């Protein structure tokens, strides 16, 4: 594991956002959803996430997650991802979302 400095960490904008909508993403190579997330002052952004094993589209609505909002946009097939959805892998390699257990304002920074 490579060590980073505190300044390196401070450059990463890990922000809380609320999922407004979730859509199927049939063009993805691995099963995934497209999600629309409200990051408050940072705007409403779209991304994709390979989270279909643990979540339905319906249960994602209103869930607060943590995303990296200062990466460059990334082309995923015909879709442009505007932020990185964060998560952890379970024992099977499936993604579990990084989320908050109490509501915080959209756009709050992880510190």
């Amino acid at each position: 594991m490579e060590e980073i400095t505190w300044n390196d960490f401070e450059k990463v904008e890990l922000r809380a956002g609320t999922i407004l909508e979730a859509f199927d993403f049939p063009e993805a190579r691995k099963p995934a959803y497209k999600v629309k997330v409200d990051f408050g002052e940072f705007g409403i952004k779209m991304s994709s996430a390979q989270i279909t094993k643990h979540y339905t589209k319906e249960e994602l609505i209103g869930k607060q997650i943590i995303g990296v909002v200062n990466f460059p946009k990334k082309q995923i097939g015909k879709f442009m991802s505007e932020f990185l959805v964060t998560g952890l892998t379970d024992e099977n390699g499936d993604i579990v979302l990084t989320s908050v257990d109490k509501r915080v304002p959209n756009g709050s920074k992880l510190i």
Side-chain angles (χ1 to χ4, degrees):
M1 173 175 43
E2 179 184 349
E3 281 191 1
I4 63 171
T5 67
W6 184 256
N7 283 344
D8 291 334
F9 177 72
E10 284 183 321
K11 292 177 188 175
V12 181
E13 292 289 332
L14 288 155
R15 301 283 177 167
T18 301
I19 298 176
L20 302 175
E21 296 180 72
F23 310 93
D24 289 323
F25 190 8
E27 306 86 11
R29 284 184 281 176
K30 294 182 180 179
Y33 296 132
K34 295 177 189 177
V35 291
K36 181 190 271 188
V37 178
D38 181 354
F39 285 103
E41 66 182 278
F42 300 94
I44 294 173
K45 299 182 179 289
M46 295 284 295
S47 189
S48 67
Q50 297 171 358
I51 53 174
T52 59
K53 294 284 185 183
H54 287 295
Y55 306 95
T56 65
K57 293 177 295 197
E58 295 76 22
E59 71 183 298
L60 289 171
I61 308 306
K63 186 171 189 64
Q64 273 198 311
I65 63 169
I66 304 296
V68 178
V69 298
N70 66 328
F71 280 152
K73 292 180 182 178
K74 182 176 181 180
Q75 189 78 42
I76 302 172
K78 295 180 181 179
F79 177 70
M80 186 63 73
S81 177
E82 299 175 302
F83 75 97
L84 174 70
V85 175
T86 63
L88 304 158
T89 55
D90 69 9
E91 63 278 356
N92 298 314
D94 298 318
I95 305 297
V96 176
L97 288 170
T98 306
S99 60
V100 296
D101 67 348
K102 303 242 187 284
R103 304 277 318 157
V104 296
N106 288 331
S108 294
K109 184 172 183 169
L110 182 102
I111 55 171

